[in-house]
Amino acid sequence: MEKLVIDGGKRLEGSLRVSGAKNAALPILAASLLTAERVALGNAPRLNDIGTMLKLLRGLGADAVDDGNSGIEITAANLSELRAPYDLVKTMRASFLVLGPLLARFGGGEVSLPGGCAIGARPVDQHLKGFAAMGAEIGMRDGYVRASAPGGLRGAEVEMDTVTVGGTENLMMAATLAEGKTVLRRAAREPEIVDLGNFLNAMGARVSGHGTSTVVIDGVEQLGGTGYAIMPDRVEAGTYLIAVAATRGRVRLTGVDPRTLGAVLERLMVAGADIRTGKGWVELDMRARPRAVDIETAPYPGFPTDMQAQFLAMNAIAEGDCRVTENIFENRFMHVQEINRLGARIELRGRSTALVHGVERLRAAPVMATDLRASFSLVVAGLVAEGRTTIDRIYHIDRGYEAIEDKLSALGADVRRI
């Protein structure tokens, strides 16, 4: 099993180009099933999760070609299978996003429940509620969701019970080929939703309001092929900004949209960072020890849950005490015990709150990654720790961060994969 070895204590400085957004690429890849024509995607990140989605599309019978750089071509003219198997869906929840396109274009599909879980934590009930409102028959058997609409989907008004990014994406895709108008209320507003809507419109869909809490989709008879460049990854951008700030460094990020980073940039400035932005770039300069900053996660445009762990790691070596509150997912503080192994002083209060007492320095120790974003919090901690930190189970990192050791090395970090 691969590990990451970091010799910490070095100030990061330099420039980086941000990769395409994983959380936009995955639903866009699923949406390629909505047309029989060729879809050409640019700025696609090279990540394990992207590879998993391509494997799933090929398993359904689509022709999926990765050019080995950042280009992907999908042609789903003649699918041979309408079933997404457990072996793939269990490794990546975004696999469930193929159900909406399969249902809309082919009148049915089967997808394993994500991760083999029952509908409960991180549920898919809002996806199914919306499909049912559009006339689909929903059933479950042997751990699979079966959706059927042989006569086609019909437009409907769907009031979601909670804000869900995946649910909004799945229902947007399904509604593009439904008869009539679909209105999604209490929709998620994330920039990746906007990117998906823009991609669907490039295929000939009629989507409006994406990026607001009410999305309107006027169904069309069919969609066509298109070329499309995936948006920059705001989570990767924010993660590197936090890592550089923690080491009191300086960085210029290019290929990024600063408008998608509002809450993160605001908190970094409160922590003491000097930040400048322009069209397609962000610069950060942290000249002193960061100040401890309270954060509280919330749906966009609030502070993103996907950057909570990284910011908590910076808070661990900041001046002062602060509170980190996680409002999106339960059990998302599994990284706390690992960071404490490096000498941090973080107390958990229930499942949703961590009290962070900043310390002047951390000391290296072996640690183990527990999930995607938590894994990079250990990288941040290792970068500032004295000595050599070894991070185990870094396959979590490879799901969401492209060429991490190359990018960190370009900024002056002493990091290698073993």
Side-chain angles (χ1 to χ4, degrees):
M1 188 175 294
E2 291 185 323
K3 303 178 182 182
L4 209 63
V5 177
I6 302 173
D7 288 311
K10 294 177 174 58
R11 182 176 187 262
L12 300 188
E13 187 169 6
S15 62
L16 284 179
R17 182 168 182 82
V18 174
S19 300
K22 174 183 87 86
N23 290 341
L26 293 173
I28 286 173
L29 284 169
S32 69
L33 296 172
L34 288 165
T35 179
E37 298 181 12
R38 183 177 67 93
V39 170
L41 301 177
N43 201 37
R46 297 190 58 76
L47 302 168
N48 286 353
D49 275 8
I50 300 299
T52 298
M53 181 62 83
L54 291 177
K55 186 175 181 180
L56 173 56
L57 296 180
R58 294 182 185 116
L60 296 173
D63 182 20
V65 179
D66 181 349
D67 71 2
N69 190 11
S70 61
I72 296 174
E73 291 188 1
I74 308 291
T75 305
N78 299 297
L79 296 195
S80 56
E81 180 67 63
L82 300 178
R83 188 173 192 261
Y86 170 75
D87 285 348
L88 290 178
V89 181
K90 72 177 181 180
T91 66
M92 186 182 68
R93 291 186 57 84
S95 303
F96 198 77
L97 294 176
V98 301
L99 185 56
L102 291 177
L103 184 59
R105 183 173 162 213
F106 299 99
E110 294 183 46
V111 180
S112 171
L113 282 169
C117 63
I119 293 178
R122 302 183 70 182
V124 295
D125 59 330
Q126 298 305 299
H127 306 231
L128 305 185
K129 172 185 175 179
F131 294 150
M134 285 188 271
E137 295 184 1
I138 308 295
M140 293 189 206
R141 183 175 178 182
D142 301 330
Y144 282 78
V145 175
R146 297 181 176 183
S148 176
L153 296 173
R154 302 183 303 273
E157 295 219 3
V158 182
E159 178 91 28
M160 284 180 272
D161 300 322
T162 186
V163 176
T164 161
V165 174
T168 300
E169 292 167 341
N170 228 343
L171 298 180
M172 282 173 60
M173 291 187 285
T176 58
L177 297 178
E179 181 181 351
K181 177 181 292 187
T182 298
V183 180
L184 304 180
R185 304 193 189 279
R186 208 177 182 184
R189 301 165 56 191
E190 272 71 5
E192 294 79 13
I193 299 281
V194 176
D195 211 37
L196 174 62
N198 292 343
F199 171 72
L200 293 171
N201 287 342
M203 297 171 74
R206 297 174 61 193
V207 180
S208 60
H210 42 308
T212 75
S213 59
T214 301
V215 181
V216 179
I217 307 101
D218 291 296
V220 298
E221 288 190 5
Q222 64 181 17
L223 297 177
T226 190
Y228 192 81
I230 294 164
M231 66 174 282
D233 195 324
R234 63 189 175 103
V235 177
E236 183 192 57
T239 296
Y240 280 105
L241 290 173
I242 293 167
V244 171
T247 69
R248 309 184 196 184
R250 181 176 183 178
V251 70
R252 179 183 173 92
L253 298 183
T254 59
V256 63
D257 185 350
R259 297 171 298 178
T260 66
L261 289 164
V264 175
L265 298 183
E266 185 272 334
R267 292 285 85 187
L268 283 168
M269 286 188 284
V270 173
D274 180 17
I275 292 178
R276 298 173 61 242
T277 64
K279 186 176 181 180
W281 60 269
V282 176
E283 288 183 351
L284 175 144
D285 190 359
M286 179 70 90
R287 301 175 183 176
R289 182 183 175 191
R291 295 190 293 268
V293 177
D294 292 338
I295 62 169
E296 184 170 350
T297 64
Y300 189 84
F303 192 94
T305 182
D306 279 352
M307 281 183 255
Q308 173 260 108
Q310 302 92 307
F311 213 99
L312 184 146
M314 186 182 76
N315 272 331
I317 50 86
E319 183 177 354
D321 301 335
C322 64
R323 180 185 299 266
V324 175
T325 305
E326 173 58 59
N327 294 316
I328 307 300
F329 295 123
E330 68 250 16
N331 298 327
R332 206 163 195 188
F333 281 125
M334 292 186 289
H335 48 286
V336 166
Q337 298 304 325
E338 296 301 298
I339 295 176
N340 280 345
R341 285 172 53 81
L342 300 172
R345 294 177 57 216
I346 307 171
E347 302 176 53
L348 290 179
R349 297 292 175 88
R351 290 188 173 186
S352 63
T353 302
L355 301 181
V356 186
H357 309 286
V359 298
E360 289 191 11
R361 61 180 59 86
L362 299 178
R363 292 182 174 83
V367 292
M368 181 174 66
T370 55
D371 62 63
L372 170 53
R373 304 307 173 186
S375 64
F376 212 109
S377 72
L378 303 182
V379 173
V380 174
L383 289 169
V384 300
E386 297 175 352
R388 179 169 295 175
T389 297
T390 302
I391 305 174
D392 203 353
R393 296 175 67 181
I394 61 168
Y395 58 84
H396 289 294
I397 295 178
D398 294 332
R399 288 186 52 217
Y401 294 98
E402 182 177 18
I404 177 176
E405 60 268 39
D406 295 336
K407 291 191 174 185
L408 286 173
S409 296
L411 296 178
D414 188 344
V415 54
R416 65 187 185 279
R417 183 183 297 252
I418 61 172

